[in-house]
Amino acid sequence: MGSLFLTGKAVGLASAGSGMMYGSNAAGWNPANLGMKDNPNFTMSLFSMGFSFGNNSFTPEYISETFVEGDTLFDEDKQDIIGKLDSDGFKLFPQMGIPVFGLSILDYAFNVDFHGHSYINFPADIFEMVFYGPLVDQNYDLGKFDASGEAYTTISFSAAKSLTPPQLLNELSVGATFKYILGNVYGGLDHAEGSILTTDDNLHADGKFQLINSTSGDGVGLDLSVAGITTYNDIYVGMTFGNLIGSLNWTEAEMNEFTFFHDGPIDLDSVQDKDYIDSLFVTTDTTYDADDFESTVPKYILFSASKSMIYDWMDFHFGWYQGLNDSPAHSTTPRLSFATEVNYLSFLPLRFGVSFGGLEKTQFTTGLGLDVPGWNMDFGFAWQRGLFFGAEGLSIGFSNTFGG
């Protein structure tokens, strides 16, 4: 999701509904919407939250059936677990987006929001080693481990300007969001190397891991966008260049370095004895000050289109999210989203969506809203790579907006 606002409406529409993001929510999707005719004069967002947690291998249903307390994992169970892993490892990618406060007046908006992104990768062959112990003459590459995560708060000001539209458009607006980014915490595996190799009577193992962290960082960001309504069929179209400028400079950094080494005889019958393994290795654990460093925030292009149909009580939405850089829980694989909102009952809109690509690969989404004069509440669910307990990830969004 990058730095997009994980609102209830956005999650329920599979991130395809930029054309419906007005008021304070426009800043997180397309600030040019603040200059459109449908933009309300005043909105305020409070008590909103959104989070996403996914992995690339296991579903809650599989975990509950396989890892039963008191049961034994037999060889066929272990092989089944290993068979579900991707060749490049087991990945976790939790993220969080909390719109803490939002306020819009006419063509301007002010927002404070919190973002957290993280990514962890465990090499597949390490699972084999844990289940069976080190296999003779097999080299285990420890350099495939990877992990990083960051959390930051953005304080942003958005503005839009309605322009005279060209012949093909009924409306045209341009917008921008200027951000001050306050880095809360960063932690990442800065360097990983090492290997484990066993023979019939010898173990060679060495490794060096460096983990860098900081709790002091800041930076700036800039989103630019354009939005319009076509003369043909009144189709909303919009494009956002997110974090066109955007990075975090971290100071007061600390590096934790851990090394281990062993090259000598080994009792293969004792390799699953933790005390025995601990006694084999010479280890060091050192912490020291590190140089200042820079991390990037998610950069992206978002194209969106929306169209009202069937007597205006059904809206169709399309979104194309293209990540431009690699950062925690962010992918450069394009994601295409399709969604609809059914508002036959104007106070109770129902939402359904699906997306393909991106970090999530596939998503099936649903949500609803409660719209009454002066207040609307939105709630959304998204299942990643499956449905319900058969999904490998879940996103939830909840949001409150006053005014409108």
Short mmCIF file of all heavy atoms in Angstrom, two decimals, residues 36-101:
data_model
loop_
_atom_site.label_atom_id
_atom_site.label_comp_id
_atom_site.label_asym_id
_atom_site.label_seq_id
_atom_site.Cartn_x
_atom_site.Cartn_y
_atom_site.Cartn_z
N MET A 36 -11.96 19.61 -7.02
CA MET A 36 -13.10 19.15 -7.83
C MET A 36 -14.41 19.67 -7.25
O MET A 36 -14.52 19.96 -6.06
CB MET A 36 -13.10 17.63 -7.90
CG MET A 36 -11.81 17.03 -8.46
SD MET A 36 -11.55 17.38 -10.20
CE MET A 36 -12.68 16.18 -10.93
N LYS A 37 -15.45 19.73 -8.11
CA LYS A 37 -16.74 20.27 -7.68
C LYS A 37 -17.40 19.43 -6.59
O LYS A 37 -18.15 19.96 -5.76
CB LYS A 37 -17.68 20.38 -8.88
CG LYS A 37 -17.26 21.44 -9.89
CD LYS A 37 -18.21 21.49 -11.08
CE LYS A 37 -17.77 22.54 -12.09
NZ LYS A 37 -18.67 22.57 -13.28
N ASP A 38 -17.14 18.12 -6.58
CA ASP A 38 -17.75 17.26 -5.57
C ASP A 38 -17.04 17.32 -4.22
O ASP A 38 -17.49 16.70 -3.25
CB ASP A 38 -17.76 15.80 -6.05
CG ASP A 38 -18.82 15.54 -7.11
OD1 ASP A 38 -19.75 16.37 -7.21
OD2 ASP A 38 -18.73 14.52 -7.81
N ASN A 39 -15.94 18.05 -4.13
CA ASN A 39 -15.22 18.14 -2.86
C ASN A 39 -16.02 18.96 -1.85
O ASN A 39 -16.44 20.08 -2.15
CB ASN A 39 -13.85 18.78 -3.08
CG ASN A 39 -13.00 18.77 -1.82
OD1 ASN A 39 -12.66 17.71 -1.30
ND2 ASN A 39 -12.68 19.96 -1.31
N PRO A 40 -16.25 18.45 -0.65
CA PRO A 40 -17.02 19.20 0.35
C PRO A 40 -16.24 20.39 0.88
O PRO A 40 -15.00 20.43 0.82
CB PRO A 40 -17.28 18.17 1.45
CG PRO A 40 -16.18 17.17 1.30
CD PRO A 40 -15.86 17.11 -0.16
N ASN A 41 -16.95 21.37 1.42
CA ASN A 41 -16.31 22.57 1.94
C ASN A 41 -15.54 22.32 3.22
O ASN A 41 -14.56 23.01 3.52
CB ASN A 41 -17.36 23.67 2.19
CG ASN A 41 -17.93 24.21 0.90
OD1 ASN A 41 -17.27 24.24 -0.12
ND2 ASN A 41 -19.20 24.62 0.94
N PHE A 42 -15.98 21.30 4.00
CA PHE A 42 -15.34 21.04 5.29
C PHE A 42 -15.45 19.56 5.62
O PHE A 42 -16.52 18.96 5.49
CB PHE A 42 -16.01 21.86 6.39
CG PHE A 42 -15.58 21.46 7.79
CD1 PHE A 42 -14.41 21.96 8.33
CD2 PHE A 42 -16.34 20.56 8.53
CE1 PHE A 42 -14.00 21.58 9.60
CE2 PHE A 42 -15.93 20.18 9.80
CZ PHE A 42 -14.76 20.70 10.33
N THR A 43 -14.34 18.98 6.05
CA THR A 43 -14.35 17.62 6.61
C THR A 43 -13.31 17.53 7.72
O THR A 43 -12.33 18.28 7.74
CB THR A 43 -14.03 16.52 5.57
OG1 THR A 43 -12.67 16.64 5.15
CG2 THR A 43 -14.95 16.59 4.37
N MET A 44 -13.53 16.59 8.62
CA MET A 44 -12.56 16.31 9.67
C MET A 44 -12.55 14.80 9.91
O MET A 44 -13.60 14.18 10.08
CB MET A 44 -12.90 17.04 10.97
CG MET A 44 -11.87 16.83 12.08
SD MET A 44 -12.14 17.92 13.51
CE MET A 44 -13.76 17.37 14.05
N SER A 45 -11.36 14.21 9.91
CA SER A 45 -11.21 12.77 10.13
C SER A 45 -10.60 12.51 11.49
O SER A 45 -9.59 13.11 11.85
CB SER A 45 -10.32 12.16 9.04
OG SER A 45 -10.88 12.35 7.76
N LEU A 46 -11.22 11.59 12.24
CA LEU A 46 -10.74 11.20 13.57
C LEU A 46 -10.97 9.71 13.77
O LEU A 46 -11.82 9.10 13.10
CB LEU A 46 -11.49 11.99 14.66
CG LEU A 46 -11.20 13.48 14.81
CD1 LEU A 46 -12.20 14.09 15.78
CD2 LEU A 46 -9.78 13.70 15.32
N PHE A 47 -10.24 9.13 14.72
CA PHE A 47 -10.48 7.75 15.16
C PHE A 47 -10.47 6.76 13.98
O PHE A 47 -11.37 5.96 13.80
CB PHE A 47 -11.80 7.65 15.91
CG PHE A 47 -12.02 8.70 16.94
CD1 PHE A 47 -13.08 9.58 16.84
CD2 PHE A 47 -11.14 8.85 18.01
CE1 PHE A 47 -13.28 10.56 17.79
CE2 PHE A 47 -11.34 9.82 18.96
CZ PHE A 47 -12.40 10.69 18.85
N SER A 48 -9.44 6.86 13.15
CA SER A 48 -9.31 5.98 12.00
C SER A 48 -8.06 5.12 12.14
O SER A 48 -7.11 5.48 12.84
CB SER A 48 -9.22 6.79 10.70
OG SER A 48 -10.35 7.62 10.55
N MET A 49 -8.05 3.98 11.48
CA MET A 49 -6.90 3.10 11.55
C MET A 49 -6.93 2.12 10.39
O MET A 49 -7.96 1.89 9.76
CB MET A 49 -6.87 2.31 12.85
CG MET A 49 -8.03 1.35 13.03
SD MET A 49 -7.72 0.05 14.24
CE MET A 49 -6.45 -0.88 13.38
N GLY A 50 -5.78 1.54 10.10
CA GLY A 50 -5.70 0.50 9.09
C GLY A 50 -4.43 -0.29 9.25
O GLY A 50 -3.40 0.25 9.65
N PHE A 51 -4.50 -1.59 9.03
CA PHE A 51 -3.29 -2.40 9.09
C PHE A 51 -3.41 -3.56 8.12
O PHE A 51 -4.50 -3.94 7.68
CB PHE A 51 -3.04 -2.92 10.51
CG PHE A 51 -3.98 -3.99 10.97
CD1 PHE A 51 -3.72 -5.33 10.71
CD2 PHE A 51 -5.12 -3.67 11.67
CE1 PHE A 51 -4.58 -6.33 11.12
CE2 PHE A 51 -6.01 -4.66 12.09
CZ PHE A 51 -5.73 -6.00 11.82
N SER A 52 -2.27 -4.12 7.77
CA SER A 52 -2.20 -5.25 6.86
C SER A 52 -1.13 -6.20 7.35
O SER A 52 -0.05 -5.76 7.76
CB SER A 52 -1.89 -4.76 5.44
OG SER A 52 -1.72 -5.85 4.55
N PHE A 53 -1.44 -7.49 7.33
CA PHE A 53 -0.45 -8.49 7.72
C PHE A 53 -0.53 -9.64 6.72
O PHE A 53 -1.59 -10.22 6.52
CB PHE A 53 -0.71 -9.01 9.13
CG PHE A 53 0.31 -10.01 9.60
CD1 PHE A 53 1.49 -9.59 10.17
CD2 PHE A 53 0.11 -11.38 9.41
CE1 PHE A 53 2.46 -10.51 10.59
CE2 PHE A 53 1.05 -12.30 9.82
CZ PHE A 53 2.24 -11.86 10.41
N GLY A 54 0.60 -9.95 6.10
CA GLY A 54 0.60 -11.01 5.12
C GLY A 54 1.88 -11.82 5.14
O GLY A 54 2.90 -11.39 5.67
N ASN A 55 1.80 -13.02 4.57
CA ASN A 55 2.97 -13.84 4.35
C ASN A 55 2.79 -14.54 3.01
O ASN A 55 1.74 -14.42 2.36
CB ASN A 55 3.18 -14.83 5.50
CG ASN A 55 2.23 -16.01 5.46
OD1 ASN A 55 2.52 -17.04 4.88
ND2 ASN A 55 1.04 -15.85 6.07
N ASN A 56 3.79 -15.26 2.56
CA ASN A 56 3.73 -15.85 1.23
C ASN A 56 3.57 -17.37 1.25
O ASN A 56 3.79 -18.01 0.22
CB ASN A 56 4.99 -15.49 0.44
CG ASN A 56 6.25 -16.11 1.03
OD1 ASN A 56 6.27 -16.48 2.20
ND2 ASN A 56 7.29 -16.23 0.22
N SER A 57 3.17 -17.95 2.39
CA SER A 57 3.18 -19.41 2.46
C SER A 57 2.01 -20.04 3.20
O SER A 57 1.45 -21.04 2.75
CB SER A 57 4.49 -19.90 3.10
OG SER A 57 5.62 -19.46 2.38
N PHE A 58 1.64 -19.51 4.35
CA PHE A 58 0.73 -20.24 5.24
C PHE A 58 -0.57 -19.47 5.50
O PHE A 58 -0.57 -18.24 5.61
CB PHE A 58 1.41 -20.51 6.58
CG PHE A 58 2.72 -21.25 6.45
CD1 PHE A 58 3.89 -20.69 6.92
CD2 PHE A 58 2.77 -22.50 5.85
CE1 PHE A 58 5.10 -21.34 6.80
CE2 PHE A 58 3.97 -23.17 5.73
CZ PHE A 58 5.14 -22.61 6.20
N THR A 59 -1.65 -20.21 5.61
CA THR A 59 -2.95 -19.64 5.95
C THR A 59 -3.29 -19.95 7.40
O THR A 59 -2.76 -20.92 7.97
CB THR A 59 -4.06 -20.22 5.05
OG1 THR A 59 -4.25 -21.61 5.39
CG2 THR A 59 -3.68 -20.12 3.57
N PRO A 60 -4.17 -19.18 8.04
CA PRO A 60 -4.59 -19.51 9.40
C PRO A 60 -5.18 -20.91 9.50
O PRO A 60 -4.97 -21.62 10.49
CB PRO A 60 -5.64 -18.44 9.71
CG PRO A 60 -5.28 -17.29 8.84
CD PRO A 60 -4.74 -17.90 7.57
N GLU A 61 -5.92 -21.33 8.47
CA GLU A 61 -6.51 -22.66 8.47
C GLU A 61 -5.41 -23.73 8.49
O GLU A 61 -5.48 -24.69 9.26
CB GLU A 61 -7.38 -22.83 7.23
CG GLU A 61 -8.08 -24.17 7.12
CD GLU A 61 -8.95 -24.26 5.88
OE1 GLU A 61 -8.53 -23.74 4.82
OE2 GLU A 61 -10.04 -24.83 5.97
N TYR A 62 -4.38 -23.56 7.67
CA TYR A 62 -3.30 -24.54 7.62
C TYR A 62 -2.52 -24.57 8.93
O TYR A 62 -2.17 -25.64 9.44
CB TYR A 62 -2.35 -24.20 6.47
CG TYR A 62 -1.20 -25.16 6.32
CD1 TYR A 62 -1.36 -26.38 5.67
CD2 TYR A 62 0.06 -24.86 6.85
CE1 TYR A 62 -0.31 -27.27 5.55
CE2 TYR A 62 1.11 -25.75 6.73
CZ TYR A 62 0.92 -26.96 6.08
OH TYR A 62 1.96 -27.84 5.96
N ILE A 63 -2.27 -23.40 9.50
CA ILE A 63 -1.52 -23.32 10.77
C ILE A 63 -2.29 -24.03 11.88
O ILE A 63 -1.73 -24.80 12.67
CB ILE A 63 -1.24 -21.86 11.13
CG1 ILE A 63 -0.24 -21.25 10.13
CG2 ILE A 63 -0.68 -21.74 12.54
CD1 ILE A 63 -0.06 -19.76 10.28
N SER A 64 -3.61 -23.78 11.96
CA SER A 64 -4.41 -24.38 13.03
C SER A 64 -4.52 -25.89 12.89
O SER A 64 -4.64 -26.62 13.88
CB SER A 64 -5.81 -23.76 13.06
OG SER A 64 -6.52 -24.07 11.86
N GLU A 65 -4.46 -26.40 11.65
CA GLU A 65 -4.57 -27.84 11.43
C GLU A 65 -3.22 -28.55 11.58
O GLU A 65 -3.19 -29.73 11.93
CB GLU A 65 -5.13 -28.12 10.02
CG GLU A 65 -6.58 -27.69 9.84
CD GLU A 65 -7.06 -27.88 8.41
OE1 GLU A 65 -6.20 -28.18 7.55
OE2 GLU A 65 -8.25 -27.72 8.16
N THR A 66 -2.14 -27.84 11.32
CA THR A 66 -0.81 -28.48 11.29
C THR A 66 -0.09 -28.37 12.63
O THR A 66 0.50 -29.35 13.12
CB THR A 66 0.05 -27.87 10.18
OG1 THR A 66 -0.65 -27.97 8.93
CG2 THR A 66 1.39 -28.58 10.07
N PHE A 67 -0.12 -27.18 13.21
CA PHE A 67 0.63 -26.96 14.45
C PHE A 67 -0.32 -27.06 15.64
O PHE A 67 -0.76 -26.06 16.20
CB PHE A 67 1.31 -25.59 14.42
CG PHE A 67 2.29 -25.44 13.28
CD1 PHE A 67 1.90 -24.84 12.09
CD2 PHE A 67 3.58 -25.92 13.39
CE1 PHE A 67 2.79 -24.70 11.03
CE2 PHE A 67 4.48 -25.79 12.34
CZ PHE A 67 4.09 -25.19 11.16
N VAL A 68 -0.65 -28.28 16.00
CA VAL A 68 -1.56 -28.56 17.10
C VAL A 68 -0.74 -28.88 18.34
O VAL A 68 0.16 -29.73 18.30
CB VAL A 68 -2.51 -29.73 16.76
CG1 VAL A 68 -3.43 -30.01 17.94
CG2 VAL A 68 -3.30 -29.41 15.51
N GLU A 69 -1.02 -28.18 19.44
CA GLU A 69 -0.27 -28.39 20.68
C GLU A 69 -0.35 -29.85 21.12
O GLU A 69 -1.43 -30.44 21.18
CB GLU A 69 -0.80 -27.47 21.77
CG GLU A 69 0.00 -27.54 23.06
CD GLU A 69 -0.49 -26.56 24.12
OE1 GLU A 69 -1.42 -25.78 23.82
OE2 GLU A 69 0.06 -26.59 25.23
N GLY A 70 0.80 -30.43 21.39
CA GLY A 70 0.86 -31.81 21.85
C GLY A 70 1.03 -32.82 20.74
O GLY A 70 1.38 -33.98 21.00
N ASP A 71 0.79 -32.42 19.48
CA ASP A 71 0.95 -33.34 18.36
C ASP A 71 2.40 -33.36 17.88
O ASP A 71 3.15 -32.40 18.07
CB ASP A 71 0.04 -32.93 17.19
CG ASP A 71 -1.38 -33.41 17.39
OD1 ASP A 71 -1.67 -33.93 18.48
OD2 ASP A 71 -2.19 -33.24 16.47
N THR A 72 2.77 -34.44 17.23
CA THR A 72 4.12 -34.59 16.69
C THR A 72 4.10 -34.28 15.20
O THR A 72 3.19 -34.69 14.47
CB THR A 72 4.63 -36.02 16.90
OG1 THR A 72 4.65 -36.30 18.30
CG2 THR A 72 6.04 -36.19 16.33
N LEU A 73 5.12 -33.53 14.76
CA LEU A 73 5.28 -33.30 13.33
C LEU A 73 6.07 -34.47 12.74
O LEU A 73 7.25 -34.66 13.03
CB LEU A 73 6.04 -31.99 13.08
CG LEU A 73 5.27 -30.68 13.29
CD1 LEU A 73 6.18 -29.49 13.07
CD2 LEU A 73 4.07 -30.61 12.35
N PHE A 74 5.39 -35.29 11.92
CA PHE A 74 6.05 -36.40 11.27
C PHE A 74 6.75 -35.93 10.00
O PHE A 74 6.57 -34.78 9.56
CB PHE A 74 5.03 -37.50 10.96
CG PHE A 74 4.40 -38.10 12.19
CD1 PHE A 74 3.12 -37.72 12.59
CD2 PHE A 74 5.11 -39.02 12.95
CE1 PHE A 74 2.55 -38.26 13.73
CE2 PHE A 74 4.54 -39.57 14.10
CZ PHE A 74 3.26 -39.18 14.50
N ASP A 75 7.53 -36.80 9.39
CA ASP A 75 8.30 -36.41 8.22
C ASP A 75 7.41 -35.89 7.10
O ASP A 75 7.75 -34.94 6.41
CB ASP A 75 9.13 -37.60 7.71
CG ASP A 75 10.36 -37.84 8.58
OD1 ASP A 75 10.69 -36.97 9.41
OD2 ASP A 75 10.99 -38.91 8.43
N GLU A 76 6.24 -36.52 6.92
CA GLU A 76 5.35 -36.04 5.85
C GLU A 76 4.81 -34.64 6.16
O GLU A 76 4.59 -33.84 5.24
CB GLU A 76 4.19 -37.02 5.62
CG GLU A 76 3.33 -37.31 6.83
CD GLU A 76 3.80 -38.56 7.58
OE1 GLU A 76 5.01 -38.88 7.53
OE2 GLU A 76 2.94 -39.21 8.20
N ASP A 77 4.60 -34.33 7.45
CA ASP A 77 4.18 -32.98 7.83
C ASP A 77 5.28 -31.98 7.53
O ASP A 77 5.02 -30.88 7.00
CB ASP A 77 3.83 -32.93 9.32
CG ASP A 77 2.69 -33.86 9.69
OD1 ASP A 77 1.71 -33.92 8.91
OD2 ASP A 77 2.77 -34.51 10.74
N LYS A 78 6.51 -32.33 7.88
CA LYS A 78 7.64 -31.43 7.64
C LYS A 78 7.83 -31.18 6.14
O LYS A 78 8.08 -30.06 5.71
CB LYS A 78 8.91 -32.01 8.26
CG LYS A 78 8.86 -32.15 9.77
CD LYS A 78 10.09 -32.84 10.31
CE LYS A 78 10.02 -33.03 11.82
NZ LYS A 78 11.21 -33.74 12.36
N GLN A 79 7.71 -32.24 5.34
CA GLN A 79 7.85 -32.09 3.90
C GLN A 79 6.74 -31.21 3.32
O GLN A 79 6.97 -30.42 2.40
CB GLN A 79 7.85 -33.46 3.22
CG GLN A 79 9.13 -34.25 3.40
CD GLN A 79 10.32 -33.55 2.78
OE1 GLN A 79 10.22 -32.89 1.74
NE2 GLN A 79 11.47 -33.66 3.43
N ASP A 80 5.55 -31.36 3.87
CA ASP A 80 4.43 -30.54 3.41
C ASP A 80 4.67 -29.07 3.72
O ASP A 80 4.39 -28.18 2.90
CB ASP A 80 3.13 -31.01 4.06
CG ASP A 80 1.91 -30.33 3.47
OD1 ASP A 80 1.78 -30.32 2.23
OD2 ASP A 80 1.10 -29.79 4.25
N ILE A 81 5.18 -28.77 4.92
CA ILE A 81 5.50 -27.39 5.30
C ILE A 81 6.56 -26.82 4.38
O ILE A 81 6.41 -25.70 3.84
CB ILE A 81 5.98 -27.33 6.76
CG1 ILE A 81 4.83 -27.71 7.71
CG2 ILE A 81 6.52 -25.95 7.11
CD1 ILE A 81 5.27 -27.93 9.14
N ILE A 82 7.63 -27.57 4.16
CA ILE A 82 8.71 -27.09 3.29
C ILE A 82 8.22 -26.90 1.87
O ILE A 82 8.61 -25.96 1.16
CB ILE A 82 9.90 -28.08 3.35
CG1 ILE A 82 10.52 -28.06 4.74
CG2 ILE A 82 10.95 -27.74 2.29
CD1 ILE A 82 11.54 -29.15 4.98
N GLY A 83 7.31 -27.76 1.41
CA GLY A 83 6.78 -27.66 0.06
C GLY A 83 5.95 -26.41 -0.17
O GLY A 83 5.76 -25.98 -1.32
N LYS A 84 5.42 -25.82 0.89
CA LYS A 84 4.62 -24.61 0.75
C LYS A 84 5.47 -23.35 0.66
O LYS A 84 4.96 -22.26 0.36
CB LYS A 84 3.65 -24.48 1.93
CG LYS A 84 2.50 -25.47 1.87
CD LYS A 84 1.49 -25.20 2.97
CE LYS A 84 0.24 -26.05 2.75
NZ LYS A 84 -0.48 -25.70 1.51
N LEU A 85 6.76 -23.45 0.94
CA LEU A 85 7.63 -22.29 0.90
C LEU A 85 8.03 -21.95 -0.53
O LEU A 85 8.26 -22.84 -1.36
CB LEU A 85 8.90 -22.54 1.73
CG LEU A 85 8.69 -22.87 3.21
CD1 LEU A 85 10.03 -23.23 3.84
CD2 LEU A 85 8.06 -21.70 3.94
N ASP A 86 8.14 -20.65 -0.82
CA ASP A 86 8.72 -20.24 -2.09
C ASP A 86 10.20 -20.61 -2.11
O ASP A 86 10.84 -20.75 -1.06
CB ASP A 86 8.58 -18.73 -2.28
CG ASP A 86 7.16 -18.33 -2.62
OD1 ASP A 86 6.33 -19.24 -2.83
OD2 ASP A 86 6.88 -17.12 -2.68
N SER A 87 10.75 -20.74 -3.31
CA SER A 87 12.15 -21.13 -3.43
C SER A 87 13.10 -20.13 -2.78
O SER A 87 14.18 -20.49 -2.32
CB SER A 87 12.53 -21.31 -4.90
OG SER A 87 12.32 -20.10 -5.62
N ASP A 88 12.68 -18.85 -2.75
CA ASP A 88 13.55 -17.83 -2.15
C ASP A 88 13.23 -17.55 -0.69
O ASP A 88 13.79 -16.62 -0.11
CB ASP A 88 13.50 -16.52 -2.95
CG ASP A 88 12.07 -16.01 -3.14
OD1 ASP A 88 11.12 -16.76 -2.84
OD2 ASP A 88 11.91 -14.87 -3.59
N GLY A 89 12.32 -18.33 -0.06
CA GLY A 89 12.16 -18.22 1.36
C GLY A 89 10.75 -17.88 1.83
O GLY A 89 9.82 -17.71 1.05
N PHE A 90 10.62 -17.82 3.14
CA PHE A 90 9.37 -17.48 3.81
C PHE A 90 9.39 -15.99 4.14
O PHE A 90 10.28 -15.51 4.83
CB PHE A 90 9.23 -18.31 5.09
CG PHE A 90 8.08 -17.91 5.96
CD1 PHE A 90 6.79 -17.94 5.47
CD2 PHE A 90 8.29 -17.51 7.28
CE1 PHE A 90 5.71 -17.57 6.28
CE2 PHE A 90 7.23 -17.15 8.08
CZ PHE A 90 5.94 -17.18 7.58
N LYS A 91 8.39 -15.26 3.65
CA LYS A 91 8.37 -13.82 3.79
C LYS A 91 7.20 -13.36 4.64
O LYS A 91 6.08 -13.87 4.51
CB LYS A 91 8.30 -13.14 2.42
CG LYS A 91 9.51 -13.39 1.53
CD LYS A 91 9.34 -12.70 0.19
CE LYS A 91 10.59 -12.83 -0.66
NZ LYS A 91 10.89 -14.22 -1.03
N LEU A 92 7.45 -12.38 5.49
CA LEU A 92 6.42 -11.68 6.25
C LEU A 92 6.48 -10.21 5.88
O LEU A 92 7.56 -9.64 5.75
CB LEU A 92 6.66 -11.82 7.76
CG LEU A 92 6.52 -13.22 8.38
CD1 LEU A 92 7.06 -13.21 9.80
CD2 LEU A 92 5.06 -13.65 8.38
N PHE A 93 5.31 -9.57 5.72
CA PHE A 93 5.31 -8.15 5.37
C PHE A 93 4.13 -7.42 6.04
O PHE A 93 3.17 -7.03 5.38
CB PHE A 93 5.28 -7.94 3.85
CG PHE A 93 4.63 -9.03 3.07
CD1 PHE A 93 3.26 -9.07 2.86
CD2 PHE A 93 5.39 -10.05 2.53
CE1 PHE A 93 2.66 -10.08 2.13
CE2 PHE A 93 4.81 -11.07 1.79
CZ PHE A 93 3.44 -11.08 1.59
N PRO A 94 4.20 -7.24 7.34
CA PRO A 94 3.17 -6.45 8.04
C PRO A 94 3.35 -4.96 7.79
O PRO A 94 4.48 -4.47 7.59
CB PRO A 94 3.41 -6.79 9.51
CG PRO A 94 4.84 -7.18 9.59
CD PRO A 94 5.19 -7.80 8.28
N GLN A 95 2.26 -4.23 7.78
CA GLN A 95 2.32 -2.77 7.66
C GLN A 95 1.10 -2.15 8.32
O GLN A 95 0.09 -2.81 8.54
CB GLN A 95 2.45 -2.34 6.21
CG GLN A 95 1.39 -2.86 5.26
CD GLN A 95 1.65 -2.43 3.85
OE1 GLN A 95 1.98 -1.28 3.57
NE2 GLN A 95 1.53 -3.36 2.90
N MET A 96 1.23 -0.89 8.63
CA MET A 96 0.17 -0.18 9.34
C MET A 96 0.08 1.25 8.82
O MET A 96 1.09 1.88 8.49
CB MET A 96 0.47 -0.15 10.85
CG MET A 96 -0.57 0.58 11.69
SD MET A 96 -0.19 0.52 13.46
CE MET A 96 -0.42 -1.21 13.78
N GLY A 97 -1.13 1.75 8.72
CA GLY A 97 -1.35 3.14 8.34
C GLY A 97 -2.47 3.72 9.18
O GLY A 97 -3.60 3.22 9.14
N ILE A 98 -2.18 4.72 9.96
CA ILE A 98 -3.19 5.30 10.86
C ILE A 98 -3.35 6.79 10.54
O ILE A 98 -2.46 7.59 10.82
CB ILE A 98 -2.78 5.15 12.34
CG1 ILE A 98 -2.61 3.67 12.68
CG2 ILE A 98 -3.84 5.78 13.25
CD1 ILE A 98 -2.16 3.44 14.11
N PRO A 99 -4.48 7.18 9.91
CA PRO A 99 -4.77 8.61 9.76
C PRO A 99 -5.16 9.19 11.13
O PRO A 99 -6.30 9.05 11.58
CB PRO A 99 -5.95 8.63 8.78
CG PRO A 99 -5.99 7.26 8.16
CD PRO A 99 -5.47 6.34 9.23
N VAL A 100 -4.20 9.79 11.81
CA VAL A 100 -4.42 10.26 13.18
C VAL A 100 -5.42 11.41 13.22
O VAL A 100 -6.35 11.43 14.03
CB VAL A 100 -3.08 10.68 13.82
CG1 VAL A 100 -3.30 11.20 15.23
CG2 VAL A 100 -2.10 9.52 13.82
N PHE A 101 -5.25 12.37 12.31
CA PHE A 101 -6.12 13.54 12.29
C PHE A 101 -6.10 14.14 10.90
O PHE A 101 -5.05 14.20 10.25
CB PHE A 101 -5.65 14.58 13.31
CG PHE A 101 -6.41 15.89 13.23
CD1 PHE A 101 -7.67 16.00 13.79
CD2 PHE A 101 -5.86 16.99 12.59
CE1 PHE A 101 -8.38 17.20 13.70
CE2 PHE A 101 -6.55 18.19 12.51
CZ PHE A 101 -7.82 18.29 13.07
#
